[in-house]
Structures are given as structure tokens and as C-alpha cells.
Amino acid sequence: MAKYRMFIPDIHCDHCKMRITKALHEIGEKNFEVNVEKKLLIIETKDATRVMQKLAEIDYPVSNFEEA
């Protein structure tokens, strides 16, 4: 598994964090942290593309990402 830092500019509050957390749990992701202040998702995953697709589906598109 690789670790990624994903910048999500549309994160504004704890409700955003809750929606992202719920969506990631739906696709089986467990090792992640959502940072509201930095608008950042740090995640350990086998499939970064799947994670980004799920986030886009719930209107939280990733604008930039890198391996952490």
C-alpha cells in the first residue's frame, strides 16, 4: 500500500469531513485522516484512482495529490 496526500479545496467544515469519511468507509478504506484546516486527506491505499473517483462522486474532487 502507498500513502498519499490529496488536496481537496472544497473541504470547509466538519460536515465535509464526515461526508468524506463515510464515503471512504463505503469503499473499504480505513487508514486515512481528513484535515479540515489544511483541506487535506492523508490516506494509505492500494488504489488512489478509486479513492479520487469516489471523492469526485460526492463533490469533493482532488485538485492535487502526491505520494507521502
Side-chain angles (χ1 to χ4, degrees):
M1 273 204 243
K3 192 172 189 176
Y4 298 93
R5 295 167 45 91
M6 299 183 178
F7 182 69
I8 306 169
D10 294 332
I11 296 177
H12 300 291
C13 62
D14 283 337
H15 182 259
C16 299
K17 180 177 180 175
M18 182 185 71
R19 286 191 62 212
I20 291 168
T21 298
K22 182 177 183 237
L24 293 174
H25 283 157
E26 285 174 5
I27 61 170
E29 297 295 341
K30 292 179 176 58
N31 296 323
F32 62 87
E33 174 191 341
V34 180
N35 185 312
V36 175
E37 286 112 26
K38 294 182 180 179
K39 300 179 182 289
L40 192 64
L41 167 67
I42 299 171
I43 187 166
E44 220 175 302
T45 183
K46 289 185 271 187
D47 193 347
T49 302
R50 183 172 176 220
V51 169
M52 289 188 286
Q53 287 172 339
K54 184 64 174 180
L55 292 170
E57 280 175 26
I58 63 165
D59 298 322
Y60 290 98
V62 174
S63 69
N64 191 13
F65 81 103
E66 64 188 16
E67 277 200 55

